[in-house]
Amino acid sequence: MPSSVPSFAELLEQCQRSAVHLELRDAYAPTERFEAWQRGERINWEDRRSWWHPYDQLITDSVARGVIIRRARIVSEPVSEYIRWEHYVTHANVTAGEQVRWLPRRQATSIPLPGNDFWLFDGALLRVHHFSGDGSVVEDEITADLKTVNLCTNAFEAVWERAIPHHLYEI
């Protein structure tokens, strides 16, 4: 990632009101945690120290400051194995304080969507994720371009309105 792009932690620490994240892919680059899940290993949710990561603490701290953090995922159905795993580990996101919703892709047809996943901070600053074909992050881009911010804001809100809360979305 170019050094001119602030880290996610820096952006969230500067955030005052809201951070929203739209995810559009059915798979991302595999991680050790995903591969362990594929082998049948499961998280002991009772042992928080075994799964709590700095990301989770960052979310918790931001929510404690009053930042509302929402994540929406558009997913194909039947869901991919990766999405099945994401649904499983979303327990950590929710525990940290994120609000998470899922939208079946067939219900997103009439929504003008951006071509990339993004985080939107305080409705004004975008961190856009660019991925390679295998789901690896190639680079992140920061923009405050009003037209792009408006497209992403409108897309996220339309998805959020139609999406199913995490605790009700069954896989």
Side-chain angles (χ1 to χ4, degrees):
M1 176 170 42
S3 60
S4 62
V5 176
S7 72
F8 175 76
E10 291 171 312
L11 292 168
L12 194 55
E13 287 167 357
Q14 295 170 10
C15 190
Q16 297 178 17
R17 296 178 313 281
S18 69
V20 301
H21 186 38
L22 183 61
E23 296 180 8
L24 303 163
R25 298 178 59 94
D26 286 322
Y28 296 87
T31 64
E32 288 181 27
R33 289 174 59 196
F34 174 59
E35 291 168 353
W37 179 84
Q38 286 180 303
R39 291 189 302 272
E41 297 176 26
R42 295 299 179 256
I43 297 169
N44 176 0
W45 294 115
E46 300 298 318
D47 181 13
R48 184 168 144 163
R49 287 187 351 191
S50 71
W51 56 267
W52 192 257
H53 292 111
Y55 172 85
D56 302 312
Q57 192 60 51
L58 179 62
I59 296 300
T60 296
D61 293 346
S62 299
V63 170
R65 288 189 294 108
V67 177
I68 297 169
I69 301 176
R70 298 181 293 160
R71 177 186 304 259
R73 293 180 171 130
I74 298 176
V75 296
S76 299
E77 291 181 321
V79 298
S80 67
E81 186 174 21
Y82 193 94
I83 294 299
R84 190 174 302 284
W85 172 73
E86 271 196 335
H87 189 271
Y88 173 72
V89 296
T90 296
H91 176 82
N93 300 82
V94 172
T95 300
E98 285 188 36
Q99 300 172 39
V100 180
R101 292 187 182 180
W102 303 80
L103 182 66
R105 193 170 307 281
R106 70 180 179 280
Q107 295 177 21
T109 303
S110 63
I111 301 172
L113 295 169
N116 299 292
D117 290 15
F118 64 83
W119 275 94
L120 175 61
F121 301 94
D122 287 333
L125 186 67
L126 277 169
R127 182 182 178 132
V128 179
H129 303 300
H130 298 286
F131 294 97
S132 66
D134 71 356
S136 300
V137 174
V138 175
E139 69 177 337
D140 287 335
E141 168 189 3
I142 300 293
T143 184
D145 173 71
L146 189 57
K147 184 176 180 180
T148 307
V149 166
N150 286 340
L151 169 71
C152 292
T153 298
N154 293 337
F156 182 86
E157 294 304 332
V159 169
W160 188 259
E161 182 179 300
R162 296 179 191 187
I164 303 163
H166 175 69
H167 71 281
L168 296 175
Y169 186 68
E170 294 185 26
I171 289 188

